[in-house]
Amino acid sequence: MEIHLIRHTAVENPENLCYGFAEMPLRKEYHEDFNDLNFDTDFDWVISSPSHRCTLLADHFKLNYQTDERLREMNFGSWELKKWTEIPEEEINPWYNDFINIRATNGENLLEMQSRILAFWNELIQKEHLHTILIITHAGAIRLILQTVLQFPLENMFKIQIDYGKKVIITVNEGLYSVKKMNV
């Protein structure tokens, strides 16, 4: 099984707003970004985060796809669409110190996000009849899948650069994983 994970293209966020579950528009030149993608449309199954910044890519390439809520980015709760600098220090500092266990106010922590991503991933790798899969999602989801495959400490996941509009390709063969390409 070959799994292509692609991050949506760049968003329009000049004010550096916190976003995860919230809808954030792609940058105005997103059609140019789509034209620059290294993109194949021959997949046995295509699944996308329901976020518009992901489904827009699938729609553009006229892909037959399904959405799965579990592929959303982290839920930042009350922090969604606030400037990072406007989130009260008494809320954000504990999260900065322990983003694995501390939740964004009315949101989720990394362990909760990991749980939903892993539920999706574990179902996916059981689908032995599928050969090539495309997942259109977010940097956080891709990092958590890589963390699962490579088994590195969860606190190191933000050390992996996942570029906008780029793919990570993972193969699964008899329970063994291979990360074939990054940011292609």
Side-chain angles (χ1 to χ4, degrees):
M1 176 184 299
E2 186 173 271
I3 303 166
H4 296 236
L5 301 148
I6 189 167
R7 183 182 185 190
H8 58 81
T9 57
V11 297
E12 191 72 35
N13 189 8
E15 296 187 43
N16 194 26
L17 302 178
C18 172
Y19 71 96
F21 262 44
E23 290 296 347
M24 180 63 67
L26 294 178
R27 70 185 199 107
K28 291 175 182 66
E29 300 84 6
Y30 73 89
H31 285 288
E32 294 172 22
D33 295 340
F34 288 175
N35 291 335
D36 291 339
L37 293 178
N38 177 13
F39 207 77
D40 181 359
T41 58
D42 187 25
F43 295 98
D44 297 326
W45 191 41
V46 179
I47 189 150
S48 175
S49 160
S51 296
H52 187 66
R53 57 192 182 268
C54 293
T55 60
L56 195 59
L57 190 147
D59 291 337
H60 175 82
F61 286 100
K62 298 177 177 42
L63 299 173
N64 179 17
Y65 68 97
Q66 298 172 328
T67 61
D68 192 312
E69 286 287 330
R70 297 173 294 180
L71 291 172
R72 284 189 179 273
E73 186 59 273
M74 180 176 274
N75 181 351
F76 287 104
S78 301
W79 301 352
E80 294 277 352
L81 301 180
K82 286 186 177 179
K83 289 182 181 179
W84 284 98
T85 56
E86 292 177 355
I87 299 169
E89 285 186 19
E90 64 272 10
E91 291 180 30
I92 202 160
N93 284 343
W95 183 80
Y96 280 144
N97 291 327
D98 185 6
F99 57 84
I100 294 172
N101 297 296
I102 303 294
R103 286 181 185 89
T105 306
N106 298 314
E108 68 183 341
N109 64 29
L110 192 58
L111 290 175
E112 291 164 327
M113 182 183 177
Q114 180 188 45
S115 178
R116 66 179 160 81
I117 296 294
L118 284 180
F120 168 83
W121 181 255
N122 289 332
E123 285 177 24
L124 174 68
I125 61 174
Q126 298 305 312
K127 297 179 184 288
E128 296 175 2
H129 64 285
L130 299 173
H131 299 288
T132 56
I133 299 157
L134 174 65
I135 301 170
I136 305 167
T137 190
H138 311 273
I142 294 170
R143 286 181 179 119
L144 284 169
I145 289 169
L146 286 169
Q147 189 273 332
T148 298
V149 167
L150 299 174
Q151 295 291 301
F152 56 80
L154 195 55
E155 61 268 14
N156 291 338
M157 73 172 256
F158 290 110
K159 293 181 178 182
I160 295 179
Q161 177 68 34
I162 305 296
D163 294 337
Y164 286 113
K166 298 294 184 182
K167 289 192 297 187
V168 171
I169 301 174
I170 299 171
T171 59
V172 182
N173 187 8
E174 297 182 10
L176 297 176
Y177 301 105
S178 180
V179 178
K180 293 292 189 183
K181 296 184 180 179
M182 288 277 299
N183 289 319
V184 294

